[in-house]
Amino acid sequence: MANVTFKGTPMTLAGQEVKVGDTAPDFHVLDNNLNEKKLSDYKGQVRLISVVPSVDTGVCAEQTQRFNDAAEKLDNVKVLTVSMDLPFAQRRWVAANNIEHVDIFSDHKDASFGEAYGVLMQELRLLARSVFIVDSNDKVTYTEYVSEGTNHPDYEQALSAVKEAK
């Protein structure tokens, strides 16, 4: 299992760690209008899944904005952000921050994503910061479980990997 801390405190991650080469687990989350969405809704596309504890915090906001800016230049790639924020808060945040190229989803209802990808921090019921790339054949081609929840992911590495995924 990935070793993750949040503000220096070790976290227990629920679920199974996803590894490169695995078939990406499907999951169900809510969009900002309370509609259920699944990974399989994006079948046939490369997907960059950006996971944040809460979009309404500094590092998470920057992570989401950076991937939003990058998404505009990516062909046949869908960028998804998942957090435990309520859909209503996500909708307000998206509008206030001009997010146009990322689909933002809430895992708050039942933590389906968090458990499927091994990123649910049990102590906080938040998702551990991470990035996953899933190719058009549903294979995981890149994973990053950020070791400290208040740190940024490796944006350049993730964007390089998503450009290589088919």
Side-chain angles (χ1 to χ4, degrees), residues 32 55-56 86-99:
N32 299 161
V55 293
D56 203 22
L86 293 175
F88 317 109
Q90 289 177 334
R91 182 174 45 226
R92 281 191 305 273
W93 187 88
V94 164
N97 290 279
N98 302 312
I99 301 299

Side-chain angles (χ1 to χ4, degrees), residues 14-166:
Q16 291 290 93
E17 182 176 354
V18 174
K19 295 180 175 27
V20 170
D22 289 352
T23 297
D26 208 359
F27 55 83
H28 51 273
V29 291
L30 296 177
D31 71 12
N32 299 161
N33 294 311
L34 301 177
N35 298 309
E36 186 174 280
K37 293 290 187 174
K38 300 177 286 189
L39 179 69
S40 56
D41 292 340
Y42 299 94
K43 195 163 193 61
Q45 292 179 292
V46 174
R47 287 135 299 173
L48 185 155
I49 306 171
S50 172
V51 184
V52 298
S54 175
V55 293
D56 203 22
T57 60
V59 175
C60 299
E62 186 175 339
Q63 179 175 334
T64 305
Q65 189 67 57
R66 286 182 72 169
F67 284 130
N68 179 71
D69 294 347
E72 187 175 14
K73 301 173 190 106
L74 297 172
D75 292 328
N76 196 37
V77 175
K78 193 65 186 168
V79 179
L80 315 174
T81 291
V82 183
S83 76
M84 291 297 262
D85 296 303
L86 293 175
F88 317 109
Q90 289 177 334
R91 182 174 45 226
R92 281 191 305 273
W93 187 88
V94 164
N97 290 279
N98 302 312
I99 301 299
E100 299 174 347
H101 308 291
V102 172
D103 289 347
I104 297 185
F105 300 111
S106 174
D107 199 26
H108 180 76
K109 184 177 177 188
D110 61 11
S112 169
F113 176 85
E115 290 182 357
Y117 284 72
V119 295
L120 178 63
M121 295 185 285
Q122 291 181 340
E123 293 83 355
L124 300 173
R125 192 166 163 76
L126 294 173
L127 302 180
R129 187 176 316 284
S130 46
V131 179
F132 302 94
I133 296 176
V134 178
D135 71 13
S136 60
N137 296 311
D138 295 330
K139 291 294 180 192
V140 177
T141 63
Y142 176 87
T143 66
E144 180 184 7
Y145 290 82
V146 179
S147 62
E148 167 52 50
T150 60
N151 292 344
H152 288 271
D154 187 334
Y155 300 106
E156 291 73 28
Q157 187 78 18
L159 291 170
S160 177
V162 80
K163 289 174 185 172
E164 294 174 14
K166 306 257 187 274

Side-chain angles (χ1 to χ4, degrees), residues 2-14:
N3 291 321
V4 171
T5 60
F6 192 83
K7 296 184 178 180
T9 302
M11 294 288 117
T12 306
L13 299 181

